[in-house]
Amino acid sequence: MTRTEDDVREAAAWLERLRSPEAGQGDQEEFETWVAHPRRRDAFEAVKAVDAEIASWDPPTPASPWPILGALALGAGGLMAAASLLIH
């Protein structure tokens, strides 16, 4: 059996539902009934694997504005120096 798109959507919803602070024993029991089907279990394992992969990524480091600001400052300084030569 091949998992369907609906299985994957439902698996993602279950993952979020079970992570919720409001999840209780009834949710877990309902999940166990849902996931008992092999196709659904496969979908849930696939969703968990993708979730774990995404969680392992390092957040991107924001680019520092200093190199750009430094270049602008040097450029502005160069323009000022050139202007002072033209004035004198």
Side-chain angles (χ1 to χ4, degrees):
M1 272 184 208
T2 304
R3 63 182 177 251
T4 66
E5 287 183 35
D6 286 341
D7 294 329
V8 173
R9 275 194 222 87
E10 289 175 18
W14 271 112
L15 185 62
E16 289 304 308
R17 182 174 170 184
L18 295 173
R19 286 182 175 167
S20 169
E22 291 84 32
Q25 184 61 33
D27 294 302
Q28 186 63 40
E29 291 169 2
E30 196 176 331
F31 168 72
E32 291 301 329
T33 300
W34 178 85
V35 81
H37 191 286
R39 188 182 72 214
R40 290 176 177 162
R41 180 167 299 279
D42 177 60
F44 188 75
E45 293 301 321
V47 167
K48 280 192 344 185
V50 169
D51 182 65
E53 176 66 26
I54 292 170
S56 74
W57 296 347
D58 290 331
T61 304
S64 172
W66 293 114
I68 295 168
L69 293 175
L72 289 174
L74 289 175
L79 287 175
M80 293 296 287
S84 70
L85 289 174
L86 292 174
I87 293 173
H88 292 330

